[in-house]
Amino acid sequence: MRKISFVLLAVILMTACVSKKKYVALEHENGQIKSELTKTQFEKEELETKFAKIEERVEAYNAKINTLTEENDVKMEAVGDVAVISNDTKKQMRNTLKNVDQNKLRQATTLKDSMNLAVSYNLQKSLDNSTLNEDEDIAIDIDETVVMISISDKMLFDTASYRISSKANNILQKLANVINSEPSIEVMVEGHTDARSIHTPKIADNWDLSVLRATSVVRALQNKYNVAPEKLIASGRSSYLPVAGNDTKEDRSKNRRTRIVILPNINKFFALMASNE
């Protein structure tokens, strides 16, 4: 009996020792877990701080890139000796050139050529020349920083007359819309004749006829189409700036024209035209 009691006591003591060792081990493991958790929390906070700094740097770089992009868009570039345009305008021009006749576009070898095509396209669309013969009745070009629109006299006047005809109403209205839509635009109206001399009780010579035609257009733009007179200039060139010979009826017809010289800020003008697409 006593032997059994010793055995039981030994078992109890051994069990108690094992439980204590296990408890100590668990305590140690718990401490390690807490330590790892604290370390992980610290590393997490450290990473969050680093990430926040990285985000700040990314935002700063993005802001710098945006600034550089904006500066690049408005950066001015010389187009030969013709004009100075911004990169933003060039982007608008590229969009417009998608609509231009591809045969004409293939012939454009310089930025000046492309600008001519783009502005001409927008002007022609604004003037709605669907009823005009592009080669004979109206021609649009850019030269020496200005936009020039040459209109055949048969579109504006009766033969050998300086009175505006009723068929001119459509094109003058659309021209006035272009002029009135942009404050920076000024317009010079030039009258041109062929080389045949003229003399009537009201018209002394070709100088007189060319100037009278220019002032007739200027008065119509001012009085009928509400163009501010301070934006208008009237001039006559007589027969001394021909675009063709004067030996044939066809060539003389080309020389009888009114040239509308628009003096715009090219960037503002093109932005205006492109916004109508």
Side-chain angles (χ1 to χ4, degrees):
M1 188 70 180
R2 181 179 295 177
K3 187 176 180 180
I4 293 173
S5 297
F6 280 121
V7 172
L8 289 173
L9 180 59
V11 170
I12 291 171
L13 290 173
M14 287 178 65
T15 302
C17 290
V18 171
S19 298
K20 185 175 182 181
K21 287 181 180 180
K22 188 173 182 180
Y23 175 77
V24 171
L26 289 173
E27 279 289 319
H28 178 70
E29 184 179 353
N30 184 53
Q32 287 183 326
I33 291 173
K34 287 182 178 179
S35 177
E36 289 293 331
L37 182 61
T38 300
K39 182 180 178 182
T40 301
Q41 183 66 29
F42 175 78
E43 290 176 347
K44 176 175 176 291
E45 292 174 356
E46 189 177 38
L47 287 172
E48 287 177 343
T49 301
K50 289 181 179 179
F51 183 70
K53 290 181 179 179
I54 291 172
E55 281 189 323
E56 289 178 3
R57 290 173 63 188
V58 169
E59 289 178 1
Y61 280 128
N62 285 337
K64 187 175 182 179
I65 289 171
N66 290 335
T67 300
L68 290 174
T69 300
E70 291 172 0
E71 290 176 353
N72 189 56
D73 284 344
V74 299
K75 182 180 178 181
M76 308 305 285
E77 178 176 340
V79 186
D81 59 351
V82 174
V84 177
I85 64 172
S86 67
N87 287 334
D88 187 56
T89 295
K90 286 198 294 183
K91 291 178 183 177
Q92 293 175 328
M93 283 172 52
R94 283 193 288 269
N95 288 333
T96 297
L97 290 173
K98 295 176 183 177
N99 302 313
V100 171
D101 185 301
Q102 294 303 300
N103 290 327
K104 292 182 179 180
L105 189 58
R106 278 191 288 272
Q107 297 174 13
T109 58
T110 65
L111 182 56
K112 176 184 174 180
D113 295 336
S114 297
M115 186 170 71
N116 272 323
L117 284 175
V119 176
S120 295
Y121 172 84
N122 280 322
L123 263 174
Q124 287 170 343
K125 185 176 61 176
S126 296
L127 292 173
D128 188 20
N129 66 326
S130 57
T131 60
L132 304 178
N133 182 309
E134 183 179 348
D135 295 326
E136 297 180 2
D137 294 335
I138 185 169
I140 301 172
D141 196 9
I142 300 176
D143 184 42
E144 299 299 332
T145 74
V146 299
V147 178
M148 297 183 181
I149 308 170
S150 290
I151 305 172
S152 171
D153 70 332
K154 63 185 178 182
M155 298 304 303
L156 300 175
F157 309 100
D158 294 327
T159 303
S161 172
Y162 57 86
R163 296 186 184 280
I164 300 291
S165 66
S166 59
K167 59 188 175 184
N169 291 336
N170 182 49
I171 193 167
L172 289 181
Q173 177 64 72
K174 292 186 178 297
L175 179 61
N177 291 342
V178 171
I179 299 170
N180 289 333
S181 61
E182 176 50 58
S184 68
I185 289 177
E186 289 187 347
V187 175
M188 181 166 62
V189 180
E190 289 183 352
H192 295 259
T193 70
D194 60 31
R196 293 178 303 174
S197 60
I198 183 171
H199 181 75
T200 71
K202 293 184 178 181
I203 302 173
D205 53 22
N206 282 333
W207 280 111
D208 205 9
L209 178 59
S210 65
V211 173
L212 287 170
R213 283 186 167 181
T215 53
S216 293
V217 172
V218 164
R219 287 194 186 97
L221 289 172
Q222 176 187 351
N223 299 329
K224 191 171 182 179
Y225 303 103
N226 300 314
V227 175
E230 61 270 18
K231 299 175 69 172
L232 299 170
I233 306 167
S235 66
R237 303 299 295 267
S238 185
S239 60
Y240 298 107
L241 198 64
V243 292
N246 280 285
D247 299 325
T248 67
K249 180 179 179 181
E250 291 74 16
D251 284 346
R252 287 194 295 271
S253 177
K254 294 176 183 177
N255 289 330
R256 295 191 304 272
R257 69 199 188 279
T258 298
R259 187 165 68 164
I260 312 297
V261 184
I262 299 178
L263 300 89
N265 174 304
I266 288 293
N267 284 294
K268 288 183 178 180
F269 181 76
F270 192 84
L272 165 71
M273 294 295 97
S275 68
N276 292 328
E277 292 186 3

